[in-house]
Amino acid sequence: MEMAFTHLIPSPSSSSSSSLPHKPSLNPISLSLNPKFPTSPPLHPNRRHRRRNPNSTLRCSASSFSEKHHTNSSNSDDVVELPLFPLPLVLFPGAILPLQIFEFRYRIMMHTLLHTDLRFGVIYTDAVSGTADVGCVGEVIKHERLVDDRFFLICKGQERFRVTSVVRTKPYLVAQVSWLEDRPAPSADLDLEGLAGEVETYMKDVIRLSNRLGGKPEKEVGDLRRNLFPTPFSFFVGSTFEGAPREQQALLELEDTAARLQREKETLKNTLNYLTAASAVKDVFPSSSSNSS
């Protein structure tokens, strides 16, 4: 199932980390629930790649998450060395990320990983905010080594981490990291299951209305929770906020499941309000709406 709409409207009251804006970007994005493996963006603009759809974008999918996904139970006080791969995208625990590796330094990294535990850190970077301090471990679950020493990888997001210090930058970035886990709910009265249910309801409404605006047949939206507990479900929801990596990074950095779900709920609620207004305009001026699109 794939759904796209014009604007995802984050909540103006949402808070973020100090390295990110308090008001997330309002750039257009897609909310992707495509059950197929995503297609990664090229990692080097000057190399030839296998043919792919030029309009394709990175997509995290519902099938990317295990039925009862839990991140690994690493002690949050542990500090370990981890090779890092800065990318212009955000990986969430439980999500699937395909990558093509051909830069020399990352081919060296892959040769090292093939003799160790096949785990490295994916960390978001862009020209505006620089490289983030919080990322997610990507574990290589499938790989293919080609004759020219390139690699095709399928990675799965595992635990989150925070960079505490840089060990070295050459031939590739290695840092000491500590593990991040969501804090326990501050109150036993906090209904995380109920909040997750509200988020799922808003997601279904956004999908339904977006499909209508896109001229797709309206049909019942299936189970989006897929037996996920609230914390992994909150990561899944964040992974579908396609095209808004800085908002995704803010969600990844939160250490409170309730706060993450609440932020996602407000974002989806505002988006639904936008889509409702757009649908009303389309009903009144159908030809104008089709021409503007």
Side-chain angles (χ1 to χ4, degrees), residues 41-80:
L43 301 183
H44 196 294
N46 299 321
R47 292 292 189 91
R48 295 171 64 92
H49 309 289
R50 290 181 177 178
R51 181 181 300 174
R52 66 181 182 90
N53 184 347
N55 296 321
S56 64
T57 53
L58 177 76
R59 302 186 185 280
C60 293
S61 64
S63 62
S64 302
F65 288 77
S66 59
E67 293 297 304
K68 291 282 188 180
H69 173 75
H70 290 279
T71 54
N72 291 351
S73 57
S74 301
N75 189 322
S76 59
D77 295 329
D78 291 344
V79 176
V80 300

Side-chain angles (χ1 to χ4, degrees), residues 3 5-11 31 198-213 218 221 241 263-281:
M3 183 281 299
F5 53 87
T6 308
H7 291 278
L8 182 68
I9 310 296
S11 166
L31 179 67
E198 291 181 64
V199 171
E200 181 184 24
T201 297
Y202 276 115
M203 287 186 74
K204 289 182 177 181
D205 289 342
V206 167
I207 292 169
R208 175 184 52 79
L209 199 50
S210 182
N211 284 342
R212 181 187 176 198
L213 284 168
E218 292 191 38
V221 180
F241 287 7
R263 179 167 179 149
E264 291 165 345
K265 173 186 169 182
E266 293 174 0
T267 297
L268 290 165
K269 181 179 179 180
N270 290 346
T271 301
L272 184 61
N273 290 338
Y274 171 86
L275 292 174
T276 300
S279 180
V281 171

